[in-house]
Amino acid sequence: MAYNQYGGNQYGGPQRGGYGGGGGYGPGGFGAGGGNYGPPPGADPQLWQWFTTVDTDRSGSIAPTELQQALVNGDWTPFDLDTVKLLMTLFDTDRSGTVGFNEFQGLWKYIKDWQGVFRHFDTDRSGSIDGQELNNALRQFGYNLSPELLRMVQRKYIPQGSTAGVGGPGGITFDRFVRCCVVIKQLTEAFQKLDPYHTGSVTMNYDTFMQTVLQAP
């Protein structure tokens, strides 16, 4: 199989954005709330408040279900569970199945940065990413997908019941946009490892193919 002109290890120049709703347009983030047990020494008070909000069982760590309940898109729909699991995988460095406060700090900044990226490419301020906006984003990241691949990505990540062609209504929500970009990045990096000379094509056996697919998020 072949893939031409791949690349892009960084996602453009993300702008910085805040969390929560607060009225008006926004890509999404953590809902409002607060906790009442003490932060560790040196912890940022605002960040600790978000952590205790998400840690509803007061266990000192965050489970996937707790994280999903705390994260909302700009239209106040809950985050897709597959996206939540992907975020957990990226930041659960000790592989405990949960996220502690130190891990949460990285997760918090990651989502905050992605809010800025989402705002940058949602040029019509609809609160979702349509086909043309997705194409623009992926090209700026360095991923030049063919029209057919781009349509496949849209079909995979646009929420069921939504219709979003180029310039059409609906689109990819913030949570699915993050997952879409991360998956494409990881699949491209897996391909690059098999294509060290950057020829745009590889030959692989069934076992290598299955390993590549199963390692994908």
Side-chain angles (χ1 to χ4, degrees):
M1 53 185 173
Y3 183 87
N4 294 320
Q5 299 181 1
Y6 55 76
N9 291 325
Q10 296 182 354
Y11 294 123
Q15 303 169 352
R16 302 301 294 271
Y19 279 89
Y25 158 77
F30 287 102
N36 57 10
Y37 57 99
D44 179 270
Q46 175 75 44
L47 193 55
W48 178 254
Q49 182 182 13
W50 286 118
F51 180 78
T52 56
T53 298
V54 180
D55 181 22
T56 55
D57 65 0
R58 298 298 183 265
S59 64
S61 60
I62 297 169
T65 52
E66 291 176 317
L67 185 59
Q68 185 187 28
Q69 290 171 4
L71 290 168
V72 293
N73 290 301
D75 59 0
W76 299 104
T77 57
F79 260 43
D80 175 75
L81 184 57
D82 286 335
T83 302
V84 173
K85 290 178 178 178
L86 174 60
L87 293 172
M88 295 288 290
T89 300
L90 292 174
F91 289 93
D92 178 20
T93 55
D94 60 4
R95 297 296 180 260
S96 64
T98 60
V99 173
F101 179 68
N102 289 335
E103 296 165 326
F104 181 77
Q105 293 181 83
L107 172 60
W108 183 84
K109 182 181 183 301
Y110 189 74
I111 294 177
K112 190 171 182 180
D113 287 345
W114 269 109
Q115 287 178 317
V117 173
F118 186 91
R119 289 191 183 99
H120 177 73
F121 289 107
D122 180 21
T123 53
D124 62 2
R125 295 298 182 262
S126 65
S128 62
I129 299 294
D130 65 26
Q132 186 59 58
E133 291 167 339
L134 178 63
N135 184 49
N136 292 340
L138 293 177
R139 285 187 178 276
Q140 185 162 323
F141 298 158
Y143 307 121
N144 299 315
L145 275 61
S146 68
E148 179 57 32
L149 275 178
L150 187 64
R151 285 191 290 270
M152 290 178 66
V153 170
Q154 287 181 258
R155 287 194 296 268
K156 182 175 179 65
Y157 291 104
I158 291 175
Q160 194 170 26
S162 176
T163 57
V166 175
I172 300 176
T173 52
F174 173 64
D175 56 340
R176 290 170 179 259
F177 176 71
V178 173
R179 180 158 59 97
C180 167
C181 294
V182 171
V183 168
I184 290 175
K185 176 178 184 290
Q186 293 187 357
L187 286 173
T188 301
E189 289 175 347
F191 184 89
Q192 289 175 327
K193 290 179 181 178
L194 300 170
D195 181 27
Y197 299 107
H198 302 283
T199 63
S201 63
V202 298
T203 301
M204 68 176 72
N205 59 30
Y206 177 74
D207 189 64
T208 302
F209 171 77
M210 289 300 293
Q211 288 181 34
T212 302
V213 171
L214 292 174
Q215 288 172 358

